[in-house]
Amino acid sequence: MVRFFPSAGDSSARLMHLGLRSSASPFPLLALPLLLCLVSGSFIGLFSSETAPFLDSFNSGALSGDFFAALLHALRFVLLALLFSTSFAGVFVLPVLSALRGFLLGCSVAAAFHAEAFRGLLLAFFSFGIPALLGLPAFLVASEDGAALSLLLLRFLTRGERRISGRGGDVPKHVLIVLLLCLVQALYSRFLLPLLVTSVL
C-alpha cells in the first residue's frame, strides 16, 4: 500500500538523519548576521561618508511628521520579512535581510556620531537606539516565524513532507506583539522624537 503521508516516526527519523529537526529555531541564523553586520556597519559608518545617500533613504520617514508614514517606516522590514516568508526562498533571503537591517542601523548610528561627536551620540540614541529597542525585536519575531514557514515550504518541495509540527499556535500571539511594538515605535517617532531632537539641537 502506497502511503502519501509519512508516519510521524518516519518523518522524525528523516529529520533527525538530516539534522533538521522541526523544533529547531531559525533564530540564530537571523540574529548572528544582524549582530555581525551591525558591528561592521558601525566601523564603515564611522570612517566613510560614501554611505550617506543610502542612510538618508533608509532613515527617511522617521521624522516625516505623519503618523502613517512613521508606522510604515516601523513596519517596512517586518513587511519584507512576511513577503519573503511566503516562498521557500525566504530560508536564504531572510538572513540576508537581517544582515542588511543590522548593517544600516550600525552605519546610521556611527555616521551620526562621526558628524556631531557627543551631540551626535545623543541624536543617534534618540533617533536610532530607542526605535531599535522596539523595531529589532519585532523584526526578529516576524523573521523567525517567516523563516520557519519558508523552511516548511522548502521541505515540502524537496522531500514532500506534509506534516511537520511547528509553532503555529504562537503565530497570533507573535503578530500581536509585532504590531504592538511597531505601533509604539510609530507613536514615539511621530510625537516624542521631534521634541527630543529639537532639545539636542
Side-chain angles (χ1 to χ4, degrees), residues 22-34:
S22 59
S23 59
S25 171
F27 181 81
L29 296 177
L30 299 167
L32 185 60
L34 190 148

Side-chain angles (χ1 to χ4, degrees), residues 16-59:
M16 291 178 66
H17 176 69
L18 293 173
L20 293 172
R21 298 183 180 180
S22 59
S23 59
S25 171
F27 181 81
L29 296 177
L30 299 167
L32 185 60
L34 190 148
L35 291 175
L36 291 177
C37 289
L38 178 65
V39 174
S40 62
S42 300
F43 281 103
I44 293 176
L46 193 60
F47 298 106
S48 175
S49 60
E50 297 179 358
T51 57
F54 301 100
L55 297 181
D56 290 340
S57 177
F58 169 66
N59 296 315

